[in-house]
Amino acid sequence: NEKNDEIEMQQSKLQAVEHVCRSLQSENETLREELATLKKENDNKNSQQEISRDLISEPIATEVSVQNEPETEDQKIERISNALKSMENFDVPKEVMVKGRGLGLKPDQIQRAYNEFRISDEDSSGAIDMEEFELLMLVLLSDKLTLTNKRKYSKSCFNGVDVDKNGTLDVFEFLEAYK
């Protein structure tokens, strides 16, 4: 009887260990799936950032005067305003058009947004920082707003669409401002 009791106890322990192993295997599979999802999301984000940098291939000539002193804010605003008035249409990459359409934008809105983005991206980095964005907003926002209100709105809008909170807007984040 003792032998039988010991065998039953060993079998019971074995069943418990097998149950724990199955639970761990199930948990392991779940973790693998979650890891795969996170990797895919990260790859998509990295891919979007690479696409954004790749989309900005050639620098924009916006008639920067050669001078020893840096441009004043007013000079920058005038330069951006003139570039927007000339409104050279840049070729909108397919990825940008698809993203814009996904946001509910019309093709002409996407074209305009892309033009504004390219003109504002002074260093052709594929992203615009708060200063570049604010200059664009100072040009675009109504003259009925005070300069202070334009700056407040620019900052609020920038922070609202800077999804990854890296201090710059790529072209896809910039499109969010048009939604």
Side-chain angles (χ1 to χ4, degrees):
N1 268 347
E2 279 183 39
K3 283 268 189 199
N4 285 341
D5 287 345
E6 190 175 325
I7 290 172
E8 284 180 29
M9 190 168 73
Q10 292 298 330
Q11 285 176 336
S12 179
K13 286 181 182 178
L14 182 60
Q15 289 173 343
V17 168
E18 287 174 343
H19 176 73
V20 169
C21 286
R22 282 192 299 276
S23 294
L24 289 174
Q25 286 174 336
S26 175
E27 187 175 330
N28 190 21
E29 281 301 311
T30 302
L31 289 173
R32 285 179 191 269
E33 290 171 6
E34 288 177 9
L35 180 60
T37 301
L38 289 172
K39 282 182 179 178
K40 186 176 179 181
E41 288 172 1
N42 190 40
D43 289 346
N44 286 342
K45 183 176 179 180
N46 289 340
S47 175
Q48 277 193 341
Q49 289 174 343
E50 288 172 18
I51 288 170
S52 183
R53 280 191 301 275
D54 292 345
L55 296 177
I56 312 302
S57 56
E58 71 277 356
I60 313 293
T62 53
E63 300 177 26
V64 177
S65 58
V66 177
Q67 48 186 317
N68 293 334
E69 298 175 25
E71 274 185 300
T72 65
E73 184 176 81
D74 287 340
Q75 290 170 326
K76 288 179 181 180
I77 290 171
E78 184 176 342
R79 179 175 42 79
I80 291 169
S81 179
N82 289 338
L84 290 172
K85 286 175 187 169
S86 75
M87 201 44 97
E88 175 183 349
N89 278 334
F90 298 96
D91 292 332
V92 178
K94 182 179 178 182
E95 297 89 348
V96 174
M97 189 61 74
V98 169
K99 173 71 173 184
R101 297 297 284 159
L103 293 171
L105 300 174
K106 297 176 183 171
D108 62 316
Q109 291 172 308
I110 298 167
Q111 179 70 62
R112 186 171 137 212
Y114 188 69
N115 291 344
E116 291 170 359
F117 179 84
R118 290 292 306 272
I119 289 168
S120 298
D121 183 17
E122 293 179 1
D123 57 3
S124 298
S125 64
I128 58 176
D129 60 24
M130 179 60 198
E131 182 183 345
E132 292 169 325
F133 184 78
E134 185 177 83
L135 287 170
L136 175 65
M137 291 296 102
L138 292 176
V139 171
L140 295 178
L141 292 174
S142 169
D143 288 335
K144 294 178 183 178
L145 295 174
T146 65
L147 184 61
T148 302
N149 284 339
K150 286 181 181 183
R151 289 185 194 281
K152 283 181 185 177
Y153 177 79
S154 298
K155 185 172 185 170
S156 173
C157 185
F158 184 92
N159 291 329
V161 296
D162 184 14
V163 177
D164 57 10
K165 303 298 179 204
N166 67 351
T168 63
L169 301 180
D170 63 28
V171 68
F172 301 106
E173 290 172 314
F174 186 78
L175 286 174
E176 294 282 339
Y178 273 78
K179 245 185 358 178

